[in-house]
């Protein structure tokens, strides 16, 4: 029976991740990635290289080989027929992420409460965007450009990559399909980090091209609410706002936002975290300073009924609060990296 063992080698100058695999043809050591593959194009060329077991004996002295499978709390699984990975903390907090789009599908805290809305009618066909969860909208937001709505990252298969304890990571690199839509070389890594009652989702972008890279981003989180009629969002009072439904610009006057109809606004992100307050508890929502906007969206009853992949009353159980960089694109010079994150904490 084939056996696969993940190995991390810590060495001055970087970490290397390998998969040691047995097969009828022998034992193979596959280099999966190393710590600076995102920035160093020469290293990226090594990914996928195979070393036969005989070569392992010639490894330089001084390497520490650390087995990663055994204590590693990451389980591959099928989620509505699509491949996904689950990360579970000893306390019981758990996140599930699909390889399709590196799309976070579920976050449950140790008390068993689901914190993320996923539409029961979402399409899981390995091609379509998934309704709910946390879509990664990159390199375009909405229809602000010539790419498919919200870019292509949410519609493509990502690769799992080793990550630190308590984290789960996936990568996406340019290939023929992305270059046909968007002629740029890039490396993305999405990392989900779990702590008790807290989830942080981080996107690292590397420009592996010889020309500058320009892009937008939204970490489009669908936060689960018990009933939108009894939820309020605090922290946006005074923030510059563009109400996209009425095409109006103003400074937010409400102490707390309430949602009684379709709502779709882009705010200049305040420095302090937001709070989603419900009778059942409060969720704190923070985002990196690199995300200069926060998008707030609820489709309301009429649009919810029109969305084919959402139940008619789906709008009652979700509120999107998105960490975004959309008003001014990021421009990354060749070899440069950029990071964005959103952190959700149950208070
Ligand atoms: O239906 P989707 O392509 O997933 O987009 C869902 C929503 O995303 C964002 O929140 C935008 O501000 C909305 O205008 C859009 O309707």
């Amino acid at each position: 029976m084939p056996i696969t063992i993940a190995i991390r080698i810590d060495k001055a100058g970087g970490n290397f991740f390998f998969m040691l695999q047995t097969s009828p043809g022998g034992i193979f050591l596959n280099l999966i990635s190393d710590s600076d593959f995102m920035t160093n194009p020469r290293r990226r060329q090594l990914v996928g290289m195979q070393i036969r077991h005989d070569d392992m004996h010639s490894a330089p002295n001084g390497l520490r080989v650390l087995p990663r499978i055994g204590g590693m709390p990451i389980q591959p699984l099928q989620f509505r027929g699509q491949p996904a990975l689950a990360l579970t903390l000893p306390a019981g907090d758990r996140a599930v992420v699909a390889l399709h789009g590196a799309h976070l599908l579920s976050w449950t805290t140790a008390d068993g409460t689901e914190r993320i809305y996923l539409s029961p009618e979402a399409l899981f066909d390995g091609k379509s965007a998934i309704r709910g969860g946390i879509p990664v909208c990159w390199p375009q937001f909405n229809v602000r450009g010539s790419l498919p709505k919200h870019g292509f990252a949410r519609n493509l298969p990502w690769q799992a990559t080793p990550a630190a304890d308590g984290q789960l990571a996936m990568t996406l690199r340019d290939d023929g399909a992305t270059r046909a839509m968007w002629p740029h070389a890039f490396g993305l890594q999405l990392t989900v980090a779990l702590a008790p009652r807290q989830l942080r989702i981080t996107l690292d972008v590397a420009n592996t091209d010889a020309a500058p890279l320009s892009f937008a981003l939204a970490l489009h989180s669908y936060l689960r609410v018990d009933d939108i009629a009894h939820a309020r969002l605090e922290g946006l009072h005074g923030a510059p706002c563009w109400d996209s439904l009425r095409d109006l610009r103003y400074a937010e006057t409400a102490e707390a936002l309430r949602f009684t109809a379709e709502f779709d606004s882009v705010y200049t992100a305040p420095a302090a975290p937001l709070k989603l307050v419900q009778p059942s508890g409060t969720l704190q929502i923070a985002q990196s300073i690199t995300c200069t906007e926060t998008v707030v969206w609820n489709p309301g009853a009429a649009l919810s009924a029109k969305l084919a992949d959402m139940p008619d009353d789906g709008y009652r159980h979700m509120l999107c609060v998105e960490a975004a960089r959309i008003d001014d694109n990021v421009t990354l010079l060749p070899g440069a990296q950029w990071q964005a994150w959103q952190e959700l904490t149950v208070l």
Side-chain angles (χ1 to χ4, degrees), residues 79 106 116 145 157 262:
F79 191 104
S106 166
I116 297 292
E262 184 179 357

Side-chain angles (χ1 to χ4, degrees), residues 179-241:
R179 287 191 294 272
M181 289 184 272
W182 199 62
H184 304 287
F186 62 85
L188 298 185
Q189 179 164 317
L190 186 97
T191 305
V192 172
L194 267 189
R197 300 166 74 81
Q198 185 175 79
L199 177 139
R200 181 186 278 224
I201 182 164
T202 303
L203 184 75
D204 285 288
V205 183
N207 181 1
T208 54
D209 210 313
L213 194 69
S214 173
F215 58 85
L217 164 75
L219 298 170
H220 194 309
S221 306
Y222 285 70
L223 307 175
R224 183 166 188 87
V225 297
D226 301 323
D227 185 343
I228 193 69
H230 300 126
R232 64 180 197 270
L233 186 64
E234 295 181 353
L236 288 165
H237 181 238
C241 167

